[in-house]
Structure formats: C-alpha cells, structure tokens
C-alpha cells in the first residue's frame, strides 16, 4: 500500500468460540482452530475475556497434544496457551477446563492433501490485481451490513461501492478466458472503520472477512472455484499496522503491543518513510526507529513485531489463512516497515512450512540495491538473511513509463529499461521478481502514457514477455483511465459491467470502444500464450542495447524461442536480424504471435510504427 494514505476506521474481537457449557458469555479464541500434521509442532492460542488470566486452564488428556505452559501478560484480559501438537495427534476437539467450571473445545482439523507441498505462483503466472470493492457487486444485499460503521456510498470516490467476493466468483469465467492464472485481491478482511474503509488496509479483525465482502466461507469458496478454473488465490497481508478501531487499541494484549506506546502524538510518531535507513551503514538508531516504528497515519497504529507474543500471532495468522483458504501465495503490504528481525523469522516460518510456496514483498523503491536486500539468497554486507522469495520491481515499472514517454537519446528512452534490467546482477533470483506497469496505489498505465493505445500495448507486451512474474491491474485490458485526477478513488475506478446502471460492460463487450476492444484482444492473446509458453515461463532473457528507437530481446528455452521488438518510431522499420544470430541458433522462420504470419528471419523484417512485434520460434 502506498506510503501516503488517507485517514480511516473500527473493531471486532477475534473469532468468538462459544462455550460448550456453563457460561453464556463468549470468549474470543485465536486462531479459531488448527491442523494436525504441521511441521512446526508448537501452537499458541490467544484467549481474550475480562480477567481471563485468573483462570488455570487444563487440557483434558488428548493423545499427541500437550499443554506446555500458559503465558500471561501485564493485561489480565489475555492468556496464551502454549501447546505441542506431535505427529501422533489425530483430528478432533481438544477440551480445556478450569477449576471454576469454564470449558471450551478447540478443533483440530485434517490438512488438505499435499498442503505442505503446495506450489506457489511463479514466473509462468500472471497475477490479476483486484480492488474487490470496485470490481463486481455480486451481492447487493451486503452493501451495507449491520454492525459496520460505514454504509455503502457508491457516489463517493472514497466510499464503499459494493463490490464483493461473490462478484469475483461471478467473474471467474471471464478471467479464465482472459488468461489470468492468479488473483491478488487487496485485503478483504474486516475494516470496520468510520470512513474510507473500502481499500482493506486498516484491519480490525485478522481472522474474519469483512461482512460487506462476504464471509470466510465465501472466501474459501472463491479459492475453490478459482482453482477449478486453473486460477490460484494470492492473499494480501498487512504485518506492519492495523486499524485504529481494533479492540487492541482499547485493550492491548501487552503494554508494548503497539509502537510508540500506542500514541501517534499529533504526527510526532509518524513514519519517516526513510527506507534506506535499514541498509545505511551510517544511519542513526533514531532514524531507524522513526522509519520502522513510526505510524502511517493516526488511524493506522504501528505494530511492534519485536513483541514475541505478537510475532507468533502474526505468523500463525498467516499459516491459518494459507491452510483455511488453500492459498497459492502471499503479497505483503509495506514489507520493509516491519521489524526486520521479525520479517526474517516470519518468512522462514512460512517457507519452512511450505517450501514451494511464494511470497512477494512490497518494497516501494526504484533502487534495486535496496529492494534486492530483502530477497532470499542475498549475501548482505550486514549479515542479514531473508527467506522472502520475491519483491516487487518498482525500478522496472518507473523505467518503462519513462522510456515510453521520453524521446530517444543516449541516456533517455529505451535505455532506461535496458539499464534497469542490467541491474539484475544485484538480485539472487531476478526471475522471481514481480513486474508490473501500475497498481492500486499509482496512476494507471494508460493514464501515465497519456492515453496512447500503442504505447500502452507496448508497455504491457514488454511486461508479459520479459523475465519475472507478471502482474496486471484490473481493467487494464479495457484501458481504465484516471486522467485528470490522482485521487485513489479515481485510480480504483469501478470495473465496467460490474455494477448496476453502467452503460459499458467489459464482460460482454457492450459499449466498448474500438481501442478498448483492441487492447482486450491484445492482452487476451498475450496472456493465453504466456500460460503455455516455456520461453516466457522460464526461458533465459537475452536483450540487446536499444538502437534507433527499437528495444529487442529474446526469451530462450530448449523447446521455444520468443523474439520481441518494441518500436517507438512513428514510421515502419525494415529491421535486419543479423545482430541476433547468437539467439536465433540457425533458425530461419518464426510465427508472428498476433497476425499468425510466417516470417522469414533471413530477410529484414518489417516492424510497424509504434508497435510491439512478438515472433515465436518452435
């Protein structure tokens, strides 16, 4: 989520587990259940109820499970049960009792088949980023929900428009046809804030879907139905902060649960956003703390992940959602703002449980020296070891927009993209970087490229054919545009056809302009080709220095070679491929991806003006 964000939002308890006997009042228990057969045998269950710390809980004997200890804090309203669940444990209900007659059951479930071996998203995938409130309103009955502080206000840029999980489910056939292989939804967890709550990043319940989005069961259904369409689900996690209406603000589990003693102090404790302090060998401890511990805004208190109980809570919350919703990946918001030692432990815990999983962290910097610091395998000078598989490539995003908007010269235009990719030597695994032209926090690519269709097609062709994991923002395929406004409400525009009363429908094609139809068909062709292309999926990238306004490169796999030519000139070019002999490997013919024409590679090829040409050699 972007560094500067507007004010926000309110609270619920965790997930309430009702007593099975004697007491009418509900106690909140989180996580609400767990699974047998996890690699990490430890489980810490948080109990929250007035004066719960006075209870002396006992576990009725259960084969394979032991209650090791009970952790108590300076707040008597919390207790933490420390359990060991060995491989001998079978699914069932743990039963806890207290001397005063309280009793509750805690479910242990069976993991889904091969859960630990789940495959995360990778360089063969395209992630489709959705703001669910602005995508499709599949259930108008939940637009305004009882108990939620903010009602629907679809005419307000910053209001809730009514999009929901049912809308995403309804759109799955469209997304499958488009060629999408992964869905990244901005957070759908409860954001019970008084206003500006639609974006999802001010969480007030880490274990429950916002009722205006649907329910936990519907989120699970979305995951299952997406998988039936060959589409994975990537969850957007927020580890750094939470919503100010969360119960923790008025009833902190520990006095050090929130940074700066839980006080924003009229901006005195706001984050500096000086991310370079993490790597800076000369940085003061004051500056480091101001960055990592500072709050974004008053309504987004900053979590203290150095608190071990909180660290465990966040790790278990992540694993719970992976198991519950059968996730194929995680995107972490504001990654570097969290305590870096915690981040090392968090990523290690997740990747140890799921070795083939994938996590991408948002480190909003165009400096690859800073971004690469966080990727797993990087040998950092300060000895920091990360287990984070992927980071977002903001350097390439900026370079691509600049390249297409600048005139060509020795240091402007395509050379910006060439130089950005040349910095890949800084990354342990550049093929696992997330590449994108825009996202929910920045102006749309069509807007940035001044509503130029050809430039937008070049930008998206480049991102869908270069190295890395591709991400596309919803509506790019129909040229959604925020020209004239940088307001997030205009960037996160309603998807055409997703809401009642719209005259344009991207799902049916009704009302689309010729340019929108052209863009849709171009991306549909690219995305579906990318799904099955070995060269684009895992092929080596070899690029050539830009020349005469043309940037060219090859993706090379044993089974296939893909040649890409991006021509910024306003006139056609007859282009000799003599300089590309090292990648052509004696091949003499190729097929144009878009026109299906056979191309003789021994002759000069014709590159149309302001265009992307993709040639496939099988």
């Amino acid at each position: 989520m972007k560094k500067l964000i507007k004010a926000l939002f309110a609270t619920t308890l965790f997930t309430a587990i009702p007593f099975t006997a004697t007491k009418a009042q509900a106690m909140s228990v989180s996580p609400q259940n767990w699974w047998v057969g996890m690699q990490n045998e430890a489980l810490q269950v948080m109990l929250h109820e007035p004066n719960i710390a006075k209870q002396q809980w006992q576990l009725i004997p259960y084969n394979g499970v032991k209650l090791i200890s009970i952790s108590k804090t300076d707040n008597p309203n919390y207790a933490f049960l420390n359990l060991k669940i060995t491989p001998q444990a079978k699914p069932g209900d743990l039963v806890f009792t207290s001397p005063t007659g309280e009793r509750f059951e805690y479910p242990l479930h069976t993991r889904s088949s091969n859960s630990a071996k789940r495959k995360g998203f990778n360089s063969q995938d395209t992630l489709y980023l959705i703001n669910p409130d602005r995508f499709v309103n599949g259930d108008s009955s939940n637009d305004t929900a009882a108990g939620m502080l903010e009602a629907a206000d679809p005419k307000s840029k910053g209001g809730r428009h009514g999009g929901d999980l049912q809308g995403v489910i309804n759109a799955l056939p469209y997304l499958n046809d488009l060629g999408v292989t992964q869905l990244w939804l901005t957070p759908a967890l409860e954001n019970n804030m008084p206003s500006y709550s639609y974006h999802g990043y001010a969480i007030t319940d880490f274990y429950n879907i916002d009722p205006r989005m649907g329910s936990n069961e519907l989120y699970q259904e979305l995951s299952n139905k997406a998988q039936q369409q060959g589409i994975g689900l990537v969850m957007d996690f927020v580890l750094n902060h939470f919503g100010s209406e969360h119960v923790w603000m008025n009833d902190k589990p520990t006095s050090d649960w929130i940074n700066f003693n839980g006080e924003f102090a009229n901006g005195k404790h706001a984050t500096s956003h000086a991310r370079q302090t993490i790597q800076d060998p000369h940085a003061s401890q004051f500056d480091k703390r101001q960055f990592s511990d500072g709050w974004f805004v008053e309504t987004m208190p900053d979590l203290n992940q150095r608190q071990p109980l909180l660290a465990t809570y966040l790790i278990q919350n992540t694993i719970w959602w992976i198991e519950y919703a059968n996730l194929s990946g995680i995107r972490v918001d504001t990654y570097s703002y969290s305590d870096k030692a915690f981040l090392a432990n968090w990523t290690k815990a997740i990747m140890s449980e799921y070795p083939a999983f994938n996590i991408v962290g948002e480190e909003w910097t165009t400096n690859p020296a800073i971004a690469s610091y966080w990727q797993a395998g990087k040998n950092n000078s300060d000895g920091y070891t990360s287990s984070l598989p992927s980071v977002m490539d903001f350097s390439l995003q900026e370079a691509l927009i600049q390249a297409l908007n600048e005139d060509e010269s020795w240091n402007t235009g395509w050379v910006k993209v060439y130089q950005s990719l040349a910095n890949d030597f800084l990354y342990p695994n550049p093929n696992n970087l997330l590449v994108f032209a825009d996202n929910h926090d920045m102006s749309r690519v069509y807007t940035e490229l001044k509503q130029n269709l050809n430039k937008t097609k070049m930008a998206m062709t480049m991102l869908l054919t270069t190295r890395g994991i591709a991400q596309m923002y919803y509506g790019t395929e129909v040229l959604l545009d925020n020209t004239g406004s940088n307001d997030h409400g205009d960037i996160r525009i309603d998807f055409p056809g997703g809401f009642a009363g719209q005259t344009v429908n991207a799902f049916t094609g009704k009302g689309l302009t010729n340019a929108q139809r052209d863009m849709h068909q171009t991306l549909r062709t690219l995305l579906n080709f990318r799904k099955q292309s070995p060269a684009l999926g895992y092929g080596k990238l070899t690029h050539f220095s830009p020349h005469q306004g043309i940037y060219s490169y090859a993706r090379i796999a044993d089974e296939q070679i893909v040649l890409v030519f991006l021509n910024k000139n306003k006139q056609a070019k007859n282009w000799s491929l003599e300089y590309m002999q090292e990648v052509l490997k004696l091949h003499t013919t190729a097929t144009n991806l878009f026109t299906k024409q056979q191309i003789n590679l021994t002759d000069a090829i014709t590159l149309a003006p302001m265009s992307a040409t993709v040639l496939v050699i099988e």
Side-chain angles (χ1 to χ4, degrees):
M1 188 177 56
K2 196 156 185 173
K3 302 175 285 293
L4 298 178
I5 188 165
K6 295 184 179 179
L8 326 162
F9 341 97
T11 184
T12 62
L13 298 176
F14 314 105
T15 298
I17 303 295
F19 289 103
T20 57
T22 66
K23 195 166 183 178
Q25 182 182 359
M27 173 176 61
S28 79
V29 180
S30 60
Q32 62 193 41
N33 68 273
W34 204 245
W35 293 264
V36 297
M38 305 296 288
Q39 178 180 342
N40 186 350
E41 296 180 358
L43 173 64
Q44 187 172 87
V45 180
M46 175 193 279
L47 307 181
H48 182 210
E49 182 185 50
N51 294 312
I52 190 70
K54 293 181 179 180
Q55 298 294 343
Q56 296 299 319
W57 294 104
Q58 293 180 331
L59 172 63
I60 292 179
Y62 191 99
N63 185 42
V65 181
K66 294 181 180 180
L67 175 59
I68 304 300
S69 64
I70 300 176
S71 298
K72 299 179 182 179
T73 74
D74 49 12
N75 185 340
N77 297 334
Y78 291 88
F80 297 81
L81 307 182
N82 300 303
L83 305 174
K84 182 177 181 179
I85 304 175
T86 69
Q88 290 72 41
K90 302 297 182 184
D93 290 333
L94 305 180
V95 178
F96 294 90
T97 62
S98 74
T100 58
E102 286 189 306
R103 168 191 171 102
F104 73 94
E105 296 181 359
Y106 190 83
L108 293 180
H109 295 328
T110 302
R111 302 178 74 181
S112 60
S113 178
N114 295 317
S115 177
K117 298 180 180 179
R118 70 182 63 237
K119 183 180 178 182
F121 63 87
N122 58 38
S123 58
Q124 297 175 276
D125 283 311
T126 302
L127 279 64
Y128 190 83
L129 167 57
I130 295 173
N131 291 110
D133 180 70
R134 305 300 171 88
F135 188 54
V136 179
N137 189 345
D139 181 5
S140 59
S141 69
N142 65 9
D143 291 358
T144 296
M148 295 292 102
L149 297 177
E150 185 177 17
D153 187 5
K155 294 183 179 180
S156 169
K157 292 181 181 181
R160 301 193 73 96
H161 290 193
D164 48 34
L165 297 181
Q166 185 60 55
V168 181
I169 292 172
N170 295 348
L172 287 173
Y174 165 84
L175 296 171
N176 182 39
D177 178 76
L178 185 62
V180 171
T181 61
Q182 299 282 340
L183 294 182
W184 159 21
L185 273 61
T186 55
L189 294 177
E190 183 194 275
N191 273 232
N192 194 13
M193 303 295 286
S195 63
Y196 197 63
S197 66
Y198 77 91
H199 57 69
Y201 290 97
I203 295 169
T204 56
D205 188 329
F206 283 88
Y207 278 99
N208 275 311
I209 295 296
D210 194 295
R212 293 160 295 190
M213 289 287 170
S215 64
N216 285 16
E217 293 75 19
L218 194 63
Y219 189 77
Q220 199 174 53
E221 180 182 334
L222 166 62
S223 180
N224 293 336
K225 289 187 174 179
Q227 287 184 39
Q228 293 170 13
Q229 300 269 356
I231 299 173
L233 183 60
V234 177
M235 194 171 193
D236 201 334
F237 272 79
V238 186
L239 304 173
N240 178 67
H241 53 265
F242 64 105
S244 60
E245 295 296 328
H246 197 293
V247 66
W248 290 340
M249 282 301 286
N250 295 320
D251 197 10
K252 292 181 289 187
T254 66
S255 59
D256 59 350
W257 200 260
I258 304 169
N259 281 323
F260 285 116
N261 298 316
E263 296 178 354
F264 188 61
N266 294 321
K268 181 180 179 181
H269 296 153
T271 180
S272 66
H273 299 296
R275 57 190 12 88
Q276 66 276 4
T277 57
I278 301 298
Q279 296 84 12
D280 181 3
H282 315 294
S284 66
Q285 292 302 313
F286 173 84
D287 286 340
K288 289 183 178 181
R289 186 187 184 206
Q290 200 67 36
F291 168 66
S292 294
D293 291 7
W295 300 21
F296 271 45
V297 289
E298 188 170 9
T299 49
M300 296 176 107
D302 203 76
L303 289 167
N304 175 22
Q305 301 89 7
R306 294 180 297 274
Q307 214 305 320
L309 295 171
L310 172 59
T312 299
Y313 178 94
L314 293 172
I315 290 169
Q316 291 182 166
N317 177 255
T318 308
I319 292 172
W320 189 90
W321 278 110
I322 294 171
E323 290 287 328
Y324 177 82
N326 200 15
L327 301 179
S328 64
I330 288 170
R331 181 263 186 183
V332 185
D333 181 64
T334 57
Y335 186 80
S336 64
Y337 289 80
S338 295
D339 178 75
K340 74 174 189 176
F342 160 77
L343 290 171
N345 293 331
W346 180 84
T347 52
K348 183 178 180 180
I350 305 308
M351 296 308 298
S352 295
E353 201 69 58
Y354 310 98
F357 199 58
N358 207 351
I359 308 170
V360 58
E362 180 199 31
E363 170 61 310
W364 193 314
T365 177
T366 58
N367 184 348
I370 292 177
S372 63
Y373 177 88
W374 300 104
Q375 192 177 34
K378 183 65 180 286
N379 184 17
N380 290 307
S381 61
D382 64 357
Y384 183 74
T385 300
S386 174
S387 298
L388 179 71
S390 176
V391 293
M392 299 172 70
D393 194 348
F394 283 92
S395 170
L396 185 58
Q397 187 276 333
E398 179 185 66
L400 181 60
I401 299 301
Q402 290 177 348
L404 285 163
N405 281 331
E406 294 175 347
D407 292 333
E408 290 293 308
S409 74
W410 68 274
N411 67 346
T412 59
W414 284 126
V415 70
K416 296 285 185 67
V417 169
Y418 183 84
Q419 291 171 342
S420 179
L421 288 166
N423 283 325
D424 277 0
F425 71 90
L426 292 167
Y427 292 98
N429 186 4
N431 290 326
N432 206 30
L433 301 180
L434 189 74
V435 299
F436 56 99
D438 57 7
N439 63 29
H440 57 301
D441 287 326
M442 55 177 62
S443 284
R444 289 179 170 272
V445 59
Y446 186 57
T447 303
E448 288 292 291
L449 297 177
K450 301 175 174 57
Q451 300 173 309
N452 186 303
L453 172 64
N454 290 332
K455 287 184 178 181
T456 306
K457 289 167 66 175
M458 276 193 280
M460 296 308 298
T461 299
M462 191 268 168
L463 288 169
L464 291 170
T465 57
T466 191
R467 59 91 176 112
I469 306 160
Q471 173 246 297
M472 187 173 82
Y473 193 28
Y474 79 96
T476 299
E477 70 272 24
V478 289
L479 301 174
L480 291 192
D481 183 21
N482 61 280
T483 297
S485 170
N486 289 322
D487 189 285
H488 281 181
D490 290 313
I491 294 170
R492 303 162 186 171
I493 190 173
D494 290 350
F495 188 80
F499 298 84
Q502 292 175 310
T503 58
V504 178
N505 191 322
F507 297 113
T508 64
K510 178 184 176 181
L512 294 179
T513 66
N514 289 335
Q516 288 175 311
R517 293 177 187 276
D518 187 355
M519 190 71 202
H520 186 279
Q521 184 56 45
T522 296
L523 287 178
R524 183 172 178 271
T525 299
L526 279 165
L527 288 167
N528 281 283
F529 175 67
R530 180 182 171 85
K531 284 171 66 171
Q532 49 81 38
S533 168
L536 299 186
Y538 48 81
K540 180 182 183 295
L541 170 65
T542 297
H543 66 167
F544 297 86
S545 182
H547 184 59
Q548 297 182 26
I550 295 170
Y551 176 50
S552 57
Y553 53 93
R555 297 295 305 280
I556 307 163
D558 290 341
E559 314 94 309
Q560 184 186 68
I561 299 172
V562 174
L563 307 176
V564 182
F565 303 88
L566 303 173
N567 179 20
K568 268 177 63 181
N569 295 285
K570 294 181 180 180
Q571 61 279 340
K573 284 281 188 178
N574 288 325
W575 199 247
S576 170
L577 303 188
E578 185 176 351
Y579 69 101
M580 299 186 80
Q581 293 308 308
E582 66 185 271
V583 300
L584 292 178
K585 299 181 179 180
L586 303 180
H587 291 285
T588 59
T589 59
T591 303
N592 187 303
L593 176 65
F594 298 115
T595 67
K596 309 306 179 185
Q597 292 179 321
Q598 289 292 112
I599 305 298
N600 186 343
L601 302 177
T602 60
D603 299 332
I605 64 173
T606 300
L607 303 179
M610 295 294 292
S611 71
T613 299
V614 179
L615 304 181
V616 183
I617 301 172
E618 301 288 355

